[in-house]
Amino acid sequence: FCRPSHRQRRTSPPRMKAVPQLALVGLLALPLSRALAPAVRIPSAVAPRPALALRPAPRCAAAPARCAELRLSANPPALGFRYVNSNMVLQLVFSQSLVFVLATALSAGGTFQVWADNDAIGFPQAPLVGALAVLPLLALNQALESSESPVFAPMNLSTDLLVLSMFGSRSEPVVAFFVSLGLCLLVGLVEETVFRGVLLPFLSGGGEAVGMDASSSAVFGAVLSSLIFGLGHCNVRGGLAGLLEAETFTLFLLQSLGGAFWAAVYLATGDLAVPVAGHALYDLVIFFGTHLRLTSQRSYAFRGIDEEKLKTDPRERLKLVFYTMDTNRDGKISRKELRIGLYSFGVVVPRDWSRMLLAKSDEDRSGQLDFTEFMNFVDDNDATVSKAIKRSVLGVRQ
């Protein structure tokens, strides 16, 4: 299950009092950093997809409206440093630095010692192995990203909102790439060092202290550190009741699964650089990819839009909404695109209801809505969803 050198290093008798101290790092460090920097939801992977990184679901009704405002604005709000929200970047750096400092203090320098004892497999082998290891997670992410489930949709919207808030809605690929790269390397290094490099072996040592063999104690440490990793990335201000909410509990499971995956990679390779590289690469693909996707969709939606008319002409604004929902860019909106698009504007529609709405508005029975049919759908004053769209998108109060 793990390399002999790994077993030898991890089975050395730890001080048992260090185990609960290190567990507190996972339980308290990220929530504490979030409290000290309340303007930002601190991501495990700087807002990756729900697959395996922090995706706190938006818990206030303003989140979809804010996301819609940023996506549809012809003149996006100015950021702190021209292209980047520098305050958010500094807060994210601060939060990760705080996690590292707390872990270093509570482990008596264990965050540095783990690298001194690291069984390195060398460069470029470690980054390449990490890149290969991350492929199944990216495939899982792709499935979750395209999901219309009401559990995953808020998580996807949360990432969109974070990326829009950090980089704005205009395409800035060079700046976004290098800022994302720096943040993702920092997050990958800090979190893998703390949770896999320090917490996992200490908890494994605790398992051996109570009579477990080397393999069983390694599994024990991997599972427990992964659960702490998942819990530390959830917003549980409501206590246990908040954790049991569907969105938060799903996030906890996904985060714990991610922690278990990287723990298995670490134990299998013996080189902490492998999960660091894989974790950072995963986050970079998701974070930077989200920026490219959102800005590319915005460019598509604004084609043929008269920006001067957006504030005064409801038809022009609805056209922008229509093409923003048209994510496959075929000029029509499918049932799935309609449902996901409505949620992004704060309108939650059950699957069966979305079928009914589409069937009612699909005049040519094509199974999709063109812009004229979409206009007629919104103009239907008897439809509750239509009224919600008008309130959310057009600001009409009825």
Side-chain angles (χ1 to χ4, degrees):
F1 186 78
C2 56
R3 292 167 53 177
S5 60
H6 227 51
R7 289 197 297 266
Q8 182 179 1
R9 173 161 56 88
R10 290 183 180 168
T11 59
S12 57
R15 292 183 302 170
M16 288 306 296
K17 65 179 182 179
V19 175
Q21 287 178 336
L22 288 168
L24 286 175
V25 173
L27 289 171
L28 299 179
L30 290 182
L32 177 58
S33 66
R34 196 176 292 131
L36 293 176
V40 179
R41 295 184 184 275
I42 305 303
S44 113
V46 190
R49 288 283 160 198
L52 303 169
L54 179 61
R55 312 241 316 130
R59 293 186 173 278
C60 62
R66 176 58 176 163
C67 192
E69 176 187 350
L70 291 172
R71 296 181 68 182
L72 301 179
S73 175
N75 298 296
L79 302 177
F81 177 70
R82 191 175 181 183
Y83 303 123
V84 180
N85 189 325
S86 53
N87 288 334
M88 287 188 67
V89 173
L90 291 175
Q91 289 171 338
L92 287 167
V93 171
F94 170 77
S95 69
Q96 292 296 320
S97 300
L98 179 61
V99 170
F100 187 82
V101 170
L102 287 174
T104 301
L106 293 174
S107 64
T111 52
F112 294 102
Q113 188 62 41
V114 68
W115 283 102
D117 296 340
N118 186 51
D119 301 326
I121 63 177
F123 181 88
Q125 291 90 330
L128 289 176
V129 173
L132 291 175
V134 82
L135 294 179
L137 299 190
L138 292 174
L140 175 60
N141 165 78
Q142 184 62 34
L144 297 180
E145 181 180 344
S146 59
S147 172
E148 59 180 301
S149 166
V151 174
F152 298 124
M155 298 180 184
N156 292 327
L157 180 62
S158 180
T159 291
D160 291 352
L161 180 57
L162 177 60
V163 174
L164 286 168
S165 299
M166 179 168 290
F167 297 119
S169 57
R170 295 191 185 279
S171 179
E172 300 292 346
V174 176
V175 174
F177 174 79
F178 284 104
V179 173
S180 300
L181 178 62
L183 290 174
C184 292
L185 286 173
L186 174 64
V187 171
L189 178 62
V190 170
E191 297 197 349
E192 293 309 310
T193 299
V194 171
F195 288 95
R196 257 63 71 183
V198 177
L199 188 58
L200 188 158
F202 267 90
L203 294 176
S204 297
E208 288 195 349
V210 297
M212 294 183 181
D213 59 32
S215 295
S216 298
S217 65
V219 173
F220 171 78
V223 171
L224 188 54
S225 63
S226 299
L227 293 175
I228 295 174
F229 179 78
L231 184 60
H233 287 80
C234 293
N235 187 351
V236 288
R237 293 178 181 175
L240 181 60
L243 180 62
L244 295 179
E245 291 179 1
E247 295 170 7
T248 304
F249 188 68
T250 301
L251 175 62
F252 166 71
L253 292 178
L254 290 171
Q255 289 288 355
S256 299
L257 174 63
F261 179 85
W262 294 122
V265 170
Y266 181 32
L267 292 172
T269 62
D271 187 353
L272 188 58
V274 175
V276 168
H279 191 151
L281 179 60
Y282 175 85
D283 295 352
L284 177 63
V285 170
I286 301 308
F287 199 49
F288 180 60
T290 298
H291 173 72
L292 295 181
R293 173 177 57 81
L294 293 175
T295 55
S296 174
Q297 186 66 29
R298 182 184 186 277
S299 298
Y300 168 76
F302 267 88
R303 291 189 311 173
I305 296 293
D306 187 341
E307 296 185 8
E308 295 296 325
K309 294 182 179 179
L310 277 179
K311 294 182 179 180
T312 58
D313 188 350
R315 178 185 173 88
E316 202 72 10
R317 190 160 181 82
L318 279 178
K319 185 186 296 185
L320 179 59
V321 171
F322 177 84
Y323 287 109
T324 299
M325 290 184 178
D326 179 23
T327 53
N328 67 355
R329 306 179 190 181
D330 62 353
K332 296 183 178 181
I333 295 179
S334 66
R335 182 205 61 78
K336 185 175 180 179
E337 289 174 330
L338 179 64
R339 189 183 182 200
I340 295 176
L342 288 176
Y343 181 83
S344 69
F345 294 104
V347 182
V348 180
V349 180
R351 184 190 296 266
D352 292 341
W353 198 3
S354 66
R355 293 194 184 98
M356 178 189 68
L357 291 173
L358 184 71
K360 181 179 179 180
S361 306
D362 183 18
E363 298 175 358
D364 60 4
R365 298 293 181 261
S366 64
Q368 297 176 309
L369 298 181
D370 59 27
F371 179 63
T372 300
E373 292 169 334
F374 181 72
M375 283 282 294
N376 294 335
F377 164 66
V378 175
D379 284 338
D380 183 1
N381 291 323
D382 293 330
T384 302
V385 174
S386 301
K387 294 179 181 179
I389 294 175
K390 291 180 179 179
R391 287 194 301 269
S392 301
V393 179
L394 303 180
V396 177
R397 298 290 182 264
Q398 297 180 343

